[in-house]
PDB file of all heavy atoms in Angstrom:
ATOM      1  N   ARG A 169     -90.985 170.402 307.170  1.00 92.00           N
ATOM      2  CA  ARG A 169     -89.819 170.515 308.034  1.00 92.00           C
ATOM      3  C   ARG A 169     -88.577 170.834 307.209  1.00 92.00           C
ATOM      4  O   ARG A 169     -88.524 170.535 306.022  1.00 92.00           O
ATOM      5  CB  ARG A 169     -89.590 169.213 308.812  1.00 92.00           C
ATOM      6  CG  ARG A 169     -90.713 168.869 309.785  1.00 92.00           C
ATOM      7  CD  ARG A 169     -90.464 167.529 310.474  1.00 92.00           C
ATOM      8  NE  ARG A 169     -91.514 167.216 311.428  1.00 92.00           N
ATOM      9  CZ  ARG A 169     -91.514 167.622 312.695  1.00 92.00           C
ATOM     10  NH1 ARG A 169     -90.486 168.328 313.140  1.00 92.00           N
ATOM     11  NH2 ARG A 169     -92.504 167.324 313.511  1.00 92.00           N
ATOM     12  N   CYS A 170     -87.607 171.422 307.857  1.00 95.00           N
ATOM     13  CA  CYS A 170     -86.319 171.650 307.206  1.00 95.00           C
ATOM     14  C   CYS A 170     -85.734 170.293 306.829  1.00 95.00           C
ATOM     15  O   CYS A 170     -85.576 169.422 307.694  1.00 95.00           O
ATOM     16  CB  CYS A 170     -85.378 172.390 308.155  1.00 95.00           C
ATOM     17  SG  CYS A 170     -83.672 172.490 307.557  1.00 95.00           S
ATOM     18  N   PRO A 171     -85.410 170.067 305.563  1.00 94.00           N
ATOM     19  CA  PRO A 171     -84.871 168.767 305.148  1.00 94.00           C
ATOM     20  C   PRO A 171     -83.523 168.442 305.792  1.00 94.00           C
ATOM     21  O   PRO A 171     -83.110 167.286 305.792  1.00 94.00           O
ATOM     22  CB  PRO A 171     -84.724 168.918 303.627  1.00 94.00           C
ATOM     23  CG  PRO A 171     -85.591 170.057 303.257  1.00 94.00           C
ATOM     24  CD  PRO A 171     -85.575 170.978 304.435  1.00 94.00           C
ATOM     25  N   TRP A 172     -82.852 169.471 306.345  1.00 96.00           N
ATOM     26  CA  TRP A 172     -81.518 169.253 306.895  1.00 96.00           C
ATOM     27  C   TRP A 172     -81.544 168.920 308.387  1.00 96.00           C
ATOM     28  O   TRP A 172     -80.932 167.954 308.821  1.00 96.00           O
ATOM     29  CB  TRP A 172     -80.659 170.502 306.669  1.00 96.00           C
ATOM     30  CG  TRP A 172     -79.222 170.307 307.003  1.00 96.00           C
ATOM     31  CD1 TRP A 172     -78.546 170.764 308.096  1.00 96.00           C
ATOM     32  CD2 TRP A 172     -78.257 169.583 306.232  1.00 96.00           C
ATOM     33  NE1 TRP A 172     -77.237 170.392 308.053  1.00 96.00           N
ATOM     34  CE2 TRP A 172     -77.024 169.655 306.909  1.00 96.00           C
ATOM     35  CE3 TRP A 172     -78.313 168.890 305.022  1.00 96.00           C
ATOM     36  CZ2 TRP A 172     -75.860 169.055 306.434  1.00 96.00           C
ATOM     37  CZ3 TRP A 172     -77.156 168.297 304.546  1.00 96.00           C
ATOM     38  CH2 TRP A 172     -75.951 168.384 305.244  1.00 96.00           C
ATOM     39  N   CYS A 173     -82.288 169.708 309.173  1.00 96.00           N
ATOM     40  CA  CYS A 173     -82.250 169.520 310.633  1.00 96.00           C
ATOM     41  C   CYS A 173     -83.581 169.090 311.227  1.00 96.00           C
ATOM     42  O   CYS A 173     -83.642 168.747 312.405  1.00 96.00           O
ATOM     43  CB  CYS A 173     -81.756 170.795 311.312  1.00 96.00           C
ATOM     44  SG  CYS A 173     -82.956 172.155 311.289  1.00 96.00           S
ATOM     45  N   GLY A 174     -84.650 169.120 310.446  1.00 94.00           N
ATOM     46  CA  GLY A 174     -85.942 168.645 310.928  1.00 94.00           C
ATOM     47  C   GLY A 174     -86.794 169.675 311.634  1.00 94.00           C
ATOM     48  O   GLY A 174     -87.894 169.362 312.102  1.00 94.00           O
ATOM     49  N   THR A 175     -86.346 170.916 311.729  1.00 95.00           N
ATOM     50  CA  THR A 175     -87.140 171.969 312.371  1.00 95.00           C
ATOM     51  C   THR A 175     -88.405 172.247 311.567  1.00 95.00           C
ATOM     52  O   THR A 175     -88.370 172.311 310.334  1.00 95.00           O
ATOM     53  CB  THR A 175     -86.313 173.263 312.491  1.00 95.00           C
ATOM     54  OG1 THR A 175     -85.150 173.001 313.280  1.00 95.00           O
ATOM     55  CG2 THR A 175     -87.120 174.377 313.139  1.00 95.00           C
ATOM     56  N   GLU A 176     -89.521 172.417 312.254  1.00 94.00           N
ATOM     57  CA  GLU A 176     -90.787 172.694 311.584  1.00 94.00           C
ATOM     58  C   GLU A 176     -90.723 174.040 310.866  1.00 94.00           C
ATOM     59  O   GLU A 176     -90.283 175.034 311.432  1.00 94.00           O
ATOM     60  CB  GLU A 176     -91.939 172.678 312.577  1.00 94.00           C
ATOM     61  CG  GLU A 176     -92.238 171.290 313.144  1.00 94.00           C
ATOM     62  CD  GLU A 176     -93.421 171.300 314.098  1.00 94.00           C
ATOM     63  OE1 GLU A 176     -93.725 172.367 314.664  1.00 94.00           O
ATOM     64  OE2 GLU A 176     -94.048 170.240 314.272  1.00 94.00           O
ATOM     65  N   ILE A 177     -91.182 174.058 309.633  1.00 94.00           N
ATOM     66  CA  ILE A 177     -91.190 175.297 308.858  1.00 94.00           C
ATOM     67  C   ILE A 177     -92.281 176.235 309.356  1.00 94.00           C
ATOM     68  O   ILE A 177     -92.121 177.460 309.363  1.00 94.00           O
ATOM     69  CB  ILE A 177     -91.388 174.993 307.355  1.00 94.00           C
ATOM     70  CG1 ILE A 177     -90.184 174.209 306.808  1.00 94.00           C
ATOM     71  CG2 ILE A 177     -91.577 176.282 306.550  1.00 94.00           C
ATOM     72  CD1 ILE A 177     -88.882 174.948 306.841  1.00 94.00           C
ATOM     73  N   VAL A 178     -93.389 175.678 309.783  1.00 92.00           N
ATOM     74  CA  VAL A 178     -94.516 176.464 310.300  1.00 92.00           C
ATOM     75  C   VAL A 178     -94.821 175.999 311.721  1.00 92.00           C
ATOM     76  O   VAL A 178     -94.908 174.792 311.972  1.00 92.00           O
ATOM     77  CB  VAL A 178     -95.764 176.287 309.402  1.00 92.00           C
ATOM     78  CG1 VAL A 178     -96.981 176.956 310.016  1.00 92.00           C
ATOM     79  CG2 VAL A 178     -95.502 176.859 308.015  1.00 92.00           C
ATOM     80  N   PRO A 179     -94.984 176.923 312.676  1.00 91.00           N
ATOM     81  CA  PRO A 179     -95.273 176.519 314.052  1.00 91.00           C
ATOM     82  C   PRO A 179     -96.657 175.875 314.169  1.00 91.00           C
ATOM     83  O   PRO A 179     -97.531 176.108 313.347  1.00 91.00           O
ATOM     84  CB  PRO A 179     -95.212 177.841 314.827  1.00 91.00           C
ATOM     85  CG  PRO A 179     -95.528 178.894 313.809  1.00 91.00           C
ATOM     86  CD  PRO A 179     -94.933 178.393 312.526  1.00 91.00           C
ATOM     87  N   ARG A 180     -96.815 175.071 315.192  1.00 89.00           N
ATOM     88  CA  ARG A 180     -98.102 174.393 315.386  1.00 89.00           C
ATOM     89  C   ARG A 180     -99.185 175.339 315.887  1.00 89.00           C
ATOM     90  O   ARG A 180    -100.375 175.096 315.687  1.00 89.00           O
ATOM     91  CB  ARG A 180     -97.917 173.233 316.366  1.00 89.00           C
ATOM     92  CG  ARG A 180     -96.961 172.166 315.855  1.00 89.00           C
ATOM     93  CD  ARG A 180     -96.889 170.978 316.783  1.00 89.00           C
ATOM     94  NE  ARG A 180     -95.927 169.979 316.305  1.00 89.00           N
ATOM     95  CZ  ARG A 180     -95.723 168.809 316.878  1.00 89.00           C
ATOM     96  NH1 ARG A 180     -96.402 168.483 317.975  1.00 89.00           N
ATOM     97  NH2 ARG A 180     -94.827 167.971 316.384  1.00 89.00           N
ATOM     98  N   ARG A 181     -98.757 176.399 316.549  1.00 90.00           N
ATOM     99  CA  ARG A 181     -99.685 177.408 317.043  1.00 90.00           C
ATOM    100  C   ARG A 181     -99.334 178.758 316.439  1.00 90.00           C
ATOM    101  O   ARG A 181     -98.180 179.037 316.116  1.00 90.00           O
ATOM    102  CB  ARG A 181     -99.614 177.508 318.569  1.00 90.00           C
ATOM    103  CG  ARG A 181    -100.024 176.235 319.302  1.00 90.00           C
ATOM    104  CD  ARG A 181    -101.521 176.062 319.297  1.00 90.00           C
ATOM    105  NE  ARG A 181    -101.927 174.871 320.056  1.00 90.00           N
ATOM    106  CZ  ARG A 181    -103.183 174.505 320.224  1.00 90.00           C
ATOM    107  NH1 ARG A 181    -104.148 175.229 319.704  1.00 90.00           N
ATOM    108  NH2 ARG A 181    -103.472 173.406 320.909  1.00 90.00           N
ATOM    109  N   ARG A 182    -100.329 179.594 316.300  1.00 90.00           N
ATOM    110  CA  ARG A 182    -100.132 180.923 315.729  1.00 90.00           C
ATOM    111  C   ARG A 182     -99.104 181.717 316.523  1.00 90.00           C
ATOM    112  O   ARG A 182     -99.094 181.679 317.748  1.00 90.00           O
ATOM    113  CB  ARG A 182    -101.470 181.675 315.704  1.00 90.00           C
ATOM    114  CG  ARG A 182    -101.384 183.070 315.116  1.00 90.00           C
ATOM    115  CD  ARG A 182    -102.753 183.732 315.147  1.00 90.00           C
ATOM    116  NE  ARG A 182    -102.700 185.103 314.678  1.00 90.00           N
ATOM    117  CZ  ARG A 182    -103.745 185.932 314.663  1.00 90.00           C
ATOM    118  NH1 ARG A 182    -104.923 185.496 315.102  1.00 90.00           N
ATOM    119  NH2 ARG A 182    -103.624 187.158 314.211  1.00 90.00           N
ATOM    120  N   SER A 183     -98.221 182.412 315.828  1.00 88.00           N
ATOM    121  CA  SER A 183     -97.204 183.235 316.453  1.00 88.00           C
ATOM    122  C   SER A 183     -97.220 184.635 315.834  1.00 88.00           C
ATOM    123  O   SER A 183     -97.466 184.794 314.642  1.00 88.00           O
ATOM    124  CB  SER A 183     -95.818 182.605 316.282  1.00 88.00           C
ATOM    125  OG  SER A 183     -94.808 183.468 316.772  1.00 88.00           O
ATOM    126  N   SER A 184     -96.935 185.612 316.662  1.00 86.00           N
ATOM    127  CA  SER A 184     -96.852 186.987 316.167  1.00 86.00           C
ATOM    128  C   SER A 184     -95.480 187.305 315.596  1.00 86.00           C
ATOM    129  O   SER A 184     -95.269 188.379 315.034  1.00 86.00           O
ATOM    130  CB  SER A 184     -97.177 187.962 317.307  1.00 86.00           C
ATOM    131  OG  SER A 184     -96.259 187.782 318.381  1.00 86.00           O
ATOM    132  N   ASN A 185     -94.548 186.353 315.741  1.00 89.00           N
ATOM    133  CA  ASN A 185     -93.182 186.547 315.253  1.00 89.00           C
ATOM    134  C   ASN A 185     -92.999 185.822 313.919  1.00 89.00           C
ATOM    135  O   ASN A 185     -92.965 184.592 313.879  1.00 89.00           O
ATOM    136  CB  ASN A 185     -92.188 186.016 316.279  1.00 89.00           C
ATOM    137  CG  ASN A 185     -90.749 186.360 315.922  1.00 89.00           C
ATOM    138  OD1 ASN A 185     -90.459 186.835 314.825  1.00 89.00           O
ATOM    139  ND2 ASN A 185     -89.831 186.107 316.844  1.00 89.00           N
ATOM    140  N   PRO A 186     -92.856 186.566 312.807  1.00 85.00           N
ATOM    141  CA  PRO A 186     -92.681 185.924 311.496  1.00 85.00           C
ATOM    142  C   PRO A 186     -91.445 185.042 311.409  1.00 85.00           C
ATOM    143  O   PRO A 186     -91.365 184.171 310.543  1.00 85.00           O
ATOM    144  CB  PRO A 186     -92.561 187.121 310.540  1.00 85.00           C
ATOM    145  CG  PRO A 186     -93.175 188.276 311.267  1.00 85.00           C
ATOM    146  CD  PRO A 186     -92.896 188.030 312.718  1.00 85.00           C
ATOM    147  N   ALA A 187     -90.469 185.229 312.319  1.00 88.00           N
ATOM    148  CA  ALA A 187     -89.244 184.432 312.282  1.00 88.00           C
ATOM    149  C   ALA A 187     -89.511 182.971 312.594  1.00 88.00           C
ATOM    150  O   ALA A 187     -88.697 182.109 312.274  1.00 88.00           O
ATOM    151  CB  ALA A 187     -88.228 184.993 313.269  1.00 88.00           C
TER     152      ALA A 187
END
Side-chain angles (χ1 to χ4, degrees):
R169 296 177 178 273
C170 171
W172 189 255
C173 72
T175 300
E176 292 182 336
I177 295 296
V178 173
R180 297 185 182 184
R181 297 284 183 179
R182 181 180 176 183
S183 174
S184 59
N185 188 350

